[in-house]
Amino acid sequence: MAGTDHTQVSRALGDGAAPTIILVEPQIGENIGKVARAMLNCGLTEMRVVQPREADWQTGKATATASGATIVLEGAREFDSLEAASEDLTFLYAATARPRDMVKVVLTPEEAMVDARGRIEAGRRVGVVFGPERAGLVNDAIAFCDAVLTVPLNPSFSSLNLAQAVLVVGYESFARSSRAPSRRLELGAGEPATKRHLLGLFEHLEAELDDCGFLRVQEKRPSMVRNLRNILGRAELTDQEVSTLRGVIACLVTKRKRS
Amino acid sequence: MAGTDHTQVSRALGDGAAPTIILVEPQIGENIGKVARAMLNCGLTEMRVVQPREADWQTGKATATASGATIVLEGAREFDSLEAASEDLTFLYAATARPRDMVKVVLTPEEAMVDARGRIEAGRRVGVVFGPERAGLVNDAIAFCDAVLTVPLNPSFSSLNLAQAVLVVGYESFARSSRAPSRRLELGAGEPATKRHLLGLFEHLEAELDDCGFLRVQEKRPSMVRNLRNILGRAELTDQEVSTLRGVIACLVTKRKRS
């Protein structure tokens, strides 16, 4: 759908402006690349990797699966421990299924990223920690984190791969930071019709409907007119569309008047 | 993280209880399998496929990438057109990037799934329509749908693969229907401490701190006590943890008293 403009990415994302993603003991290079791609999709650029199994994790197969998210992969840093990887961070979310036998706050991705946004806006840096592909985070790592982040999923089929888990977290992070309107009307090249133009359409239609007899029953006329205006109003017409509809009416009328 | 319990899935999900996923002209069988997996992760079970390119889409490579989501793959149905695939549905969301030159309502995945939930609870069936992997939906298909669903992503790196796009939609669908609390304290085997037990801990600690001289400056004592109680209170302790902390205090005191 789009290429990569590194300048734009760097400009948009200052250091610490989004959560750092920490991968603990990732087993497969391809997965690290897929994570890099999912991160960049969501405007996350800082990846830290703790004891990856493959020595060439940064230059090997990950470069292919990153699908161009090289800015993330090249900037990633390797650490010996989760503790070392999080030295400059103030709050860690452990991405894992519900912890057992541990007293811990559990947040949805949405709530965690709302929380993270608050910390980031206060000038603090936070991280989200993901465990190895198969086993997930060990209890000691979960205990070291401040809260657990669990993706609510179908309880009878909840296995999510690493890049998908990162994507869900990144998606929520981006949604909380971008403040995109949740609903908007895409107008293409058009502009919303003014009420004056809209009224012109209404009156044009109603005059023709009077003329052809559609509105002849006078006691029903007001409610019919209201219904028609509601239908057209709900469509949130553009100027161009108002003109189009007036053309439609004119054309239909011509045909009737001819026949 | 978990296996598949077909009985539980079927019980939880009545027909039409979640959006139908419609894949228009999917090119690669593996992707159909990955979509099936992402769907089941999120409790979506009804897949419809319009003119898939591979004849063995249901039995070929998709079975491996579905990773056990066979209930979705086996139940999927094939259609000749989007129109035929949506005959019994009342509202279609076209999953695509922002449409050009078209006047159309554009919703975030969250808003679209809130909207879908309302329609489903009113007894109506809805679908989310995804186009071919590379090209996406053609304009005629978008125009046939009622609204556009666009995932807000990094504008300079917004390419998402098919299964990931389905996952984001499914994740929102599940989040809107599951009503999972966005924050909860996982207690393991414990129970939240009663205020009586908590007060016992506070007073135990404060008595010992009085005894050892930590609270000897009388004008500072009230605020220090408040701070300590705040710290312990914020931890939302369980009964067991209160006992543990009292043990810790007792033990520390013993050591000091001995030395």
Side-chain angles (χ1 to χ4, degrees), chain A residues 160-218:
Chain A
L160 211 57
N161 74 37
L162 185 57
Q164 283 174 315
V166 170
L167 178 72
V168 168
V169 170
Y171 161 76
E172 284 290 2
S173 166
F174 194 81
R176 297 317 132 202
S177 60
S178 68
R179 294 184 176 78
S182 57
R183 180 188 188 283
R184 64 186 172 82
L185 184 65
E186 174 63 44
L187 290 171
E191 281 296 313
T194 60
K195 293 303 171 197
R196 183 164 160 265
H197 275 109
L198 207 58
L199 196 62
L201 168 65
F202 292 164
E203 290 171 348
H204 181 178
L205 176 63
E206 289 150 17
E208 292 296 352
L209 293 177
D210 277 328
D211 193 46
C212 72
F214 185 86
L215 296 175
R216 69 184 175 278
V217 183
Q218 282 303 311

Side-chain angles (χ1 to χ4, degrees), chain A residues 3-15:
Chain A
T4 304
D5 174 347
H6 287 182
T7 330
Q8 194 180 336
V9 173
S10 314
R11 207 168 359 169
L13 305 160
D15 251 14

Side-chain angles (χ1 to χ4, degrees), chain B residues 6-233:
Chain B
H6 288 179
T7 331
Q8 194 180 336
V9 173
S10 315
R11 207 168 3 177
L13 306 160
D15 251 16
T20 295
I21 299 297
I22 303 178
L23 305 181
V24 176
E25 297 175 27
Q27 305 294 294
I28 302 166
E30 278 101 326
N31 290 340
I32 300 177
K34 288 178 185 173
V35 166
R37 178 182 173 185
M39 285 176 62
L40 194 56
N41 279 152
C42 304
L44 306 178
T45 51
E46 193 169 350
M47 178 195 280
R48 299 180 185 182
V49 180
V50 176
Q51 297 201 2
R53 195 170 67 176
E54 297 180 0
D56 65 342
W57 64 272
Q58 204 160 14
T59 52
K61 290 174 181 168
T63 52
T65 52
S67 303
T70 41
I71 190 175
V72 175
L73 210 51
E74 286 169 4
R77 285 189 290 155
E78 185 173 337
F79 295 86
D80 281 339
S81 66
L82 173 58
E83 289 77 359
S86 56
E87 268 185 348
D88 58 332
L89 308 179
T90 63
F91 202 92
L92 295 178
Y93 306 88
T96 180
R98 171 175 185 240
R100 291 173 196 283
D101 303 324
M102 213 184 295
V103 180
K104 206 83 188 173
V105 167
V106 179
L107 305 171
T108 59
E110 179 179 356
E111 186 66 18
M113 291 303 102
V114 168
D115 181 85
R117 181 56 32 199
R119 295 176 196 279
I120 288 166
E121 284 175 0
R124 303 191 188 95
R125 307 186 69 160
V126 305
V128 186
V129 185
F130 295 82
E133 288 89 334
R134 287 200 171 269
L137 290 169
V138 298
N139 279 349
D140 280 348
I142 298 173
F144 182 70
C145 294
D146 301 279
V148 164
L149 183 163
T150 299
V151 182
L153 290 173
N154 182 349
S156 61
F157 193 81
S158 61
S159 144
L160 210 58
N161 72 39
L162 185 57
Q164 284 175 313
V166 170
L167 178 72
V168 167
V169 170
Y171 161 76
E172 285 290 1
S173 165
F174 194 81
R176 297 316 131 203
S177 61
S178 70
R179 295 183 176 78
S182 56
R183 180 189 188 278
R184 64 185 172 83
L185 184 66
E186 174 63 45
L187 290 171
E191 281 295 314
T194 60
K195 293 303 172 197
R196 182 162 160 266
H197 276 108
L198 208 58
L199 196 62
L201 168 65
F202 292 164
E203 291 173 346
H204 181 179
L205 176 64
E206 289 150 18
E208 292 296 351
L209 292 177
D210 277 327
D211 193 45
C212 72
F214 185 87
L215 296 174
R216 68 181 174 278
V217 183
Q218 282 303 311
E219 59 269 34
K220 289 191 180 169
R221 192 180 185 285
S223 71
M224 291 188 85
V225 164
R226 266 198 308 275
N227 289 346
L228 289 166
R229 288 188 176 195
N230 270 332
I231 291 165
L232 290 168

Side-chain angles (χ1 to χ4, degrees), chain A residues 43-259:
Chain A
L44 305 177
T45 51
E46 192 169 351
M47 179 195 280
R48 299 181 185 182
V49 180
V50 176
Q51 297 201 3
R53 196 171 66 174
E54 297 180 1
D56 65 342
W57 63 272
Q58 205 159 14
T59 52
K61 290 174 179 166
T63 52
T65 52
S67 303
T70 42
I71 190 176
V72 175
L73 210 51
E74 286 169 4
R77 284 190 290 154
E78 186 174 335
F79 294 86
D80 281 340
S81 66
L82 173 58
E83 289 78 0
S86 57
E87 268 185 349
D88 58 332
L89 308 178
T90 63
F91 202 92
L92 295 177
Y93 307 88
T96 179
R98 167 172 188 244
R100 290 174 197 282
D101 302 324
M102 214 183 297
V103 180
K104 207 82 189 172
V105 168
V106 180
L107 305 172
T108 60
E110 180 178 356
E111 187 65 18
M113 292 303 102
V114 167
D115 181 84
R117 181 55 32 201
R119 296 176 195 278
I120 287 166
E121 284 175 358
R124 303 191 188 95
R125 308 187 66 163
V126 305
V128 187
V129 185
F130 295 82
E133 288 89 334
R134 286 199 171 270
L137 290 170
V138 298
N139 279 349
D140 281 348
I142 298 173
F144 183 69
C145 294
D146 300 279
V148 164
L149 183 164
T150 299
V151 182
L153 291 171
N154 181 350
S156 62
F157 192 79
S158 62
S159 144
L160 211 57
N161 74 37
L162 185 57
Q164 283 174 315
V166 170
L167 178 72
V168 168
V169 170
Y171 161 76
E172 284 290 2
S173 166
F174 194 81
R176 297 317 132 202
S177 60
S178 68
R179 294 184 176 78
S182 57
R183 180 188 188 283
R184 64 186 172 82
L185 184 65
E186 174 63 44
L187 290 171
E191 281 296 313
T194 60
K195 293 303 171 197
R196 183 164 160 265
H197 275 109
L198 207 58
L199 196 62
L201 168 65
F202 292 164
E203 290 171 348
H204 181 178
L205 176 63
E206 289 150 17
E208 292 296 352
L209 293 177
D210 277 328
D211 193 46
C212 72
F214 185 86
L215 296 175
R216 69 184 175 278
V217 183
Q218 282 303 311
E219 59 269 33
K220 289 191 181 170
R221 192 179 186 285
S223 71
M224 292 189 85
V225 165
R226 266 199 306 277
N227 289 347
L228 289 167
R229 288 188 176 196
N230 270 332
I231 290 165
L232 291 168
R234 223 154 49 216
E236 300 181 59
L237 300 169
T238 64
D239 269 341
Q240 182 54 50
E241 291 168 334
V242 166
S243 301
T244 302
L245 288 178
R246 292 192 70 162
V248 167
I249 295 164
C251 183
L252 293 173
V253 166
T254 308
K255 195 178 170 196
R256 176 174 57 82
K257 288 184 176 165
R258 266 190 206 143
S259 65

